[in-house]
Amino acid sequence: MSEEPIGGDLSRLRQLNASAVLRELRGDQPLTLTELSKRTGLSRASTEDVARDLLGRGWLAEVAPALGSVGRPARRYRFNAGAGRLLGVDIGGHKALALVTDLDGEVLNQTRIAVDPEAGRRERLAVLDRCVAKALAGAGVEASQIWSTGVATTGLVDASGKVMLSDSLPEWSGVDLTAHVRRLVPGPVRVENDCKLAALAETWRGVARYAKDVVFLLAGLRTGAGLIIDGKLHRGFANWSGEIGALPAAGWLRAPEHLTNWLETTTQAAPASPTTAGFERVFLAARGGDPEAVQAVGDYVRDLAVGASALVLTLDPQLVVIGGGFSRSADVMVEPLRRELDRWCLRTPEIRVSAFADEGVALGAVRLALDEVEATIRTGLRP
């Protein structure tokens, strides 16, 4: 990195230098000034000035010398993940889930509160409020300590954080989640579709960490998709990418009906409101060899595969990742899905199963909050 002022913009140069140092220190190991100087291309004097400034701002911490060091040990620095806190929230049909983390995304508290799927806007937002308050209290964190917040929701979300359309949640279209959450915590609030954030979580800390092109399938009470293209979350022109389920021919709208029909047959009554745990009975029976359950799961996977095949043929991804509430039972889904993709696709990508189950969406919301913090690092440091 050049240390010569460009157009006399010393302030901008300091920001760039500080960003370079912080970027190198986001790894696992602390670094000395000499190591930082080599990695950033800054002179040792400039590196020392930047480190001193970042220490004063709280972004860095000095690491104690290693035991047994001979002579005067070199000063070592690490990124101070405890300087601030992040909040990730998933507000869905059956639950609100909030994660409070440090600036490295390490979870300090996780709080989950059930929501009646028939709840209206006011009741659902009240559950969100209680969930956030409980998570903050559980982490011993004041709202003022939250530097950035990510919020995940079902439905189509615009750039301002307003839900433009939600077919699955009563009275949810038109909710301005950004404005609502800003009443709870200060700092930036970013809102995104849940499928997209689940995909983001997989490329951050999940099974797709080393993949650049990924189709993420959210398999649960709803079916959705998130797309990673060239290592980045693909949103599309109006932030509506991945909504292939809106096309009836894709099969995603009717897919869960196969599982519901099996439940109705075995219980002799239609479930008032099917839950992930209820559907788990179908997968459990299929795992045990029940022929009707095997048929129900097979029919579900065939419908899932229609839309998935269209996405695979369009994007030619390295991976297809199965996530969401049904991913706990993906062992009975993967082989049938692979056979279906083999039927329709020119090349069947590797299929992997998320380890996050239904918690991946909230983790993706944390990643969204962290993106905001890292953008701040690049453009100007938080005071």
Side-chain angles (χ1 to χ4, degrees), residues 1-120:
M1 175 172 293
S2 172
E3 297 183 62
E4 293 299 320
I6 300 174
D9 190 355
L10 291 173
S11 175
R12 179 58 180 159
L13 181 63
R14 292 189 187 98
Q15 291 175 3
L16 292 173
N17 290 348
S19 177
V21 169
L22 286 170
R23 186 167 54 249
E24 295 301 330
L25 287 171
R26 291 306 301 271
D28 294 331
Q29 298 299 321
L31 299 174
T32 65
L33 289 173
T34 299
E35 290 167 335
L36 280 170
S37 176
K38 289 179 179 179
R39 293 192 182 197
T40 60
L42 300 172
S43 69
R44 181 181 170 85
S46 293
T47 304
E48 189 170 8
D49 286 343
V50 170
R52 186 184 304 113
D53 179 55
L54 293 175
L55 275 169
R57 293 172 180 261
W59 284 98
L60 298 190
E62 191 170 346
V63 179
L67 294 175
S69 299
V70 179
R72 184 178 180 182
R75 301 173 71 181
R76 297 183 301 155
Y77 301 91
R78 62 171 176 80
F79 177 73
N80 182 16
R85 298 289 184 258
L86 304 173
L87 177 64
V89 181
D90 172 17
I91 179 68
H94 290 75
K95 72 177 187 307
L97 176 62
L99 305 180
V100 178
T101 78
D102 64 16
L103 297 181
D104 275 336
E106 294 301 318
V107 177
L108 306 176
N109 181 270
Q110 175 176 303
T111 296
R112 179 191 298 257
I113 298 178
V115 183
D116 183 344
E118 301 304 319

Side-chain angles (χ1 to χ4, degrees), residues 198 202 216 218 322-328 354-361:
E202 294 299 333
F216 175 86
L218 187 74
I322 303 175
F326 291 176
S327 63
R328 293 187 179 93
S354 172
F356 299 140
D358 67 347
E359 298 171 2
V361 172

Side-chain angles (χ1 to χ4, degrees), residues 4 98 109 120 143 167 184 228-229 246 263 269 278 296 333 335 358 383:
E4 293 299 320
N109 181 270
D167 293 332
L184 309 177
I228 303 294
I229 299 177
L263 287 171
M333 294 170 53
E335 285 308 316
D358 67 347

Side-chain angles (χ1 to χ4, degrees), residues 18-329:
S19 177
V21 169
L22 286 170
R23 186 167 54 249
E24 295 301 330
L25 287 171
R26 291 306 301 271
D28 294 331
Q29 298 299 321
L31 299 174
T32 65
L33 289 173
T34 299
E35 290 167 335
L36 280 170
S37 176
K38 289 179 179 179
R39 293 192 182 197
T40 60
L42 300 172
S43 69
R44 181 181 170 85
S46 293
T47 304
E48 189 170 8
D49 286 343
V50 170
R52 186 184 304 113
D53 179 55
L54 293 175
L55 275 169
R57 293 172 180 261
W59 284 98
L60 298 190
E62 191 170 346
V63 179
L67 294 175
S69 299
V70 179
R72 184 178 180 182
R75 301 173 71 181
R76 297 183 301 155
Y77 301 91
R78 62 171 176 80
F79 177 73
N80 182 16
R85 298 289 184 258
L86 304 173
L87 177 64
V89 181
D90 172 17
I91 179 68
H94 290 75
K95 72 177 187 307
L97 176 62
L99 305 180
V100 178
T101 78
D102 64 16
L103 297 181
D104 275 336
E106 294 301 318
V107 177
L108 306 176
N109 181 270
Q110 175 176 303
T111 296
R112 179 191 298 257
I113 298 178
V115 183
D116 183 344
E118 301 304 319
R121 174 186 301 192
R122 181 175 298 179
E123 183 178 350
R124 195 174 303 276
L125 289 174
V127 171
L128 183 153
D129 295 354
R130 293 200 304 274
C131 191
V132 168
K134 188 175 179 180
L136 293 175
V141 170
E142 299 290 335
S144 60
Q145 295 176 268
I146 299 296
W147 281 18
S148 180
T149 299
V151 181
T153 180
T154 179
L156 302 176
V157 181
D158 70 9
S160 73
K162 180 181 291 186
V163 180
M164 302 302 294
L165 177 65
S166 176
D167 293 332
S168 58
L169 300 185
E171 303 177 355
W172 204 238
S173 297
V175 172
D176 189 340
L177 279 172
T178 297
H180 182 85
V181 174
R182 277 179 178 159
R183 300 188 187 103
L184 309 177
V185 289
V189 175
R190 296 178 64 181
V191 181
E192 186 55 271
N193 169 266
D194 52 2
C195 297
K196 290 183 173 64
L197 292 186
L200 191 63
E202 294 299 333
T203 59
W204 180 33
R205 291 192 169 178
V207 298
R209 286 192 300 275
Y210 307 109
K212 297 187 69 176
D213 298 288
V214 180
V215 169
F216 175 86
L217 300 178
L218 187 74
L221 302 177
R222 295 179 302 107
T223 307
L227 310 177
I228 303 294
I229 299 177
D230 198 24
K232 297 178 181 179
L233 179 64
H234 182 68
R235 291 180 166 89
F237 177 75
N239 203 31
W240 290 14
S241 70
E243 297 292 336
I244 197 168
L247 185 66
W252 288 5
L253 292 174
R254 66 175 178 268
E257 294 177 4
H258 302 294
L259 307 178
T260 302
N261 291 339
W262 185 90
L263 287 171
E264 292 176 359
T265 301
T266 57
T267 61
Q268 301 300 314
S273 179
T275 63
T276 300
F279 282 129
E280 187 69 24
R281 293 175 52 199
V282 189
F283 295 111
L284 183 62
R287 191 177 296 114
D290 181 296
E292 293 182 354
V294 171
Q295 181 66 45
V297 172
D299 291 342
Y300 167 78
V301 171
R302 270 190 289 277
D303 280 343
L304 182 69
V306 175
S309 296
L311 293 172
V312 167
L313 286 167
T314 302
L315 297 178
D316 185 26
Q318 178 182 346
L319 287 180
V320 170
V321 178
I322 303 175
F326 291 176
S327 63
R328 293 187 179 93
S329 302

